[in-house]
Amino acid sequence: MTTLEAELQRHDLAPLADRAPNGLTPICDPLLLDRQADRYRSGGRALETVTDWYGIEHDCPGDPRSDAEAALVLAYVIGACYPPIGRLSRPALHREQVQWHEQQVREAEVRQPGRERDPRWPLGTVQALPWQEHDAS
């Protein structure tokens, strides 16, 4: 979403929040949910890894349709496995995710200081760079 927002900004087009009926809410980020639900599980948190952990079929990792379908199922399964998350209303879930992301960024900074992290969610800080033509050769 941040990449799309930067592209819209770079081309002087309306931002995402102006294009959606309710702005950028509610959004459900299953990887953020997984980090909150199972905070101390070791291993990666890439979509393919997390779907495998939960036993969710993900036939074509990297394919946008397959990734979107896997993310939808993943959000549902996490909600079913962790009732305190699954019982939240959509607006409450969105608000919680904002706070959880900020908390996860602070904790990551303690564990690995010095890395650049953006505490904003669901859109990171957008910096649109000017378009540059590239030599195709």
Side-chain angles (χ1 to χ4, degrees):
M1 288 180 53
T2 302
T3 301
L4 178 56
E5 184 75 359
E7 285 299 299
L8 292 169
Q9 187 181 83
R10 186 165 58 85
H11 292 283
D12 291 324
L13 297 171
L16 286 172
D18 293 353
R19 294 166 173 267
N22 297 318
L24 293 179
T25 183
I27 291 176
C28 178
D29 182 342
L31 300 180
L32 179 55
L33 298 182
D34 177 58
R35 285 186 191 106
Q36 184 64 27
D38 197 354
R39 298 174 60 151
Y40 303 106
R41 184 178 75 237
S42 62
R45 300 290 176 140
L47 182 59
E48 186 175 3
T49 305
V50 178
T51 54
D52 187 51
W53 173 263
Y54 285 96
I56 296 168
E57 192 171 317
H58 188 195
D59 294 332
C60 300
D63 174 72
R65 180 180 178 149
S66 178
D67 287 353
E69 290 172 351
L72 286 170
V73 173
L74 180 59
Y76 177 80
V77 168
I78 292 171
C81 291
Y82 299 92
I85 291 174
R87 285 193 294 264
L88 292 169
S89 67
R90 285 178 286 194
L93 179 63
H94 185 92
R95 287 189 303 272
E96 289 294 322
Q97 287 176 108
V98 170
Q99 293 174 1
W100 294 338
H101 178 73
E102 290 171 355
Q103 177 186 5
Q104 290 169 10
V105 166
R106 285 192 305 270
E107 291 170 357
E109 183 60 32
V110 169
R111 287 190 313 275
Q112 296 176 321
R115 286 189 44 197
E116 188 173 322
R117 295 178 177 88
D118 195 339
R120 294 186 56 213
W121 182 93
L123 284 179
T125 302
V126 174
Q127 180 184 7
L129 301 174
W131 180 258
Q132 294 180 355
E133 292 293 329
H134 296 279
D135 185 10
S137 56

